């Protein structure tokens, strides 16, 4: 499994609008093969929003990025004016996983 973290540096007062954009999304990624989960995190000082998506493997994520569904999801008037810089994406391989909700 991999986690893809996308840091979005946002303009002052724009963090909640960015979160709302993700909340209002059509959810195409949820149905995409290999997608596991998504978390949208807002920094305490609201200076950035961190979007973390979880994927079964890198090939699934790459297929998403190359898909028409990705282009539609990211091309619908998306919030570039709300950012104060370029997003920074990092891909992580999940090396260890613990889930407090699971019973051992």
């Amino acid at each position: 499994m991999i986690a893809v973290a996308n840091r979005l540096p946002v303009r002052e007062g724009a963090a909640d609008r960015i979160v709302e954009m993700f909340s209002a999304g059509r959810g195409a990624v949820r149905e995409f093969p290999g997608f596991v989960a998504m978390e949208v995190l807002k920094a305490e000082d609201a200076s950035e929003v961190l979007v973390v998506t979880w994927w079964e493997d890198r090939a699934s994520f790459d297929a998403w990025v190359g898909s028409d569904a990705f282009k539609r999801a990211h091309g619908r008037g998306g919030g570039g004016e709300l950012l104060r810089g370029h997003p920074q994406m990092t891909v992580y391989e999940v090396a260890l996983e613990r889930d407090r909700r699971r019973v051992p």
Side-chain angles (χ1 to χ4, degrees), residues 17-30 38 40 51 64 67-82:
R17 287 186 57 204
I18 294 285
V19 171
E20 287 170 17
M21 289 173 67
F22 280 96
S23 177
R26 296 185 187 128
V29 71
R30 289 192 325 219
M38 179 173 70
V40 179
V51 180
W64 162 247
S67 72
D68 288 338
F70 176 89
K71 291 175 187 131
R72 284 190 302 273
H74 291 83
R76 56 183 147 143
E81 73 282 356
L82 302 176

Side-chain angles (χ1 to χ4, degrees), residues 24-73:
R26 296 185 187 128
V29 71
R30 289 192 325 219
E31 304 302 321
F32 202 83
F35 174 78
V36 175
M38 179 173 70
E39 299 165 321
V40 179
L41 311 171
K42 182 174 73 170
E44 283 184 319
D45 67 358
S47 64
E48 72 178 32
V49 172
L50 179 66
V51 180
V52 182
T53 53
W54 301 85
W55 296 87
E56 289 177 4
D57 51 40
R58 179 64 190 244
S60 297
F61 172 70
D62 290 341
W64 162 247
V65 171
S67 72
D68 288 338
F70 176 89
K71 291 175 187 131
R72 284 190 302 273

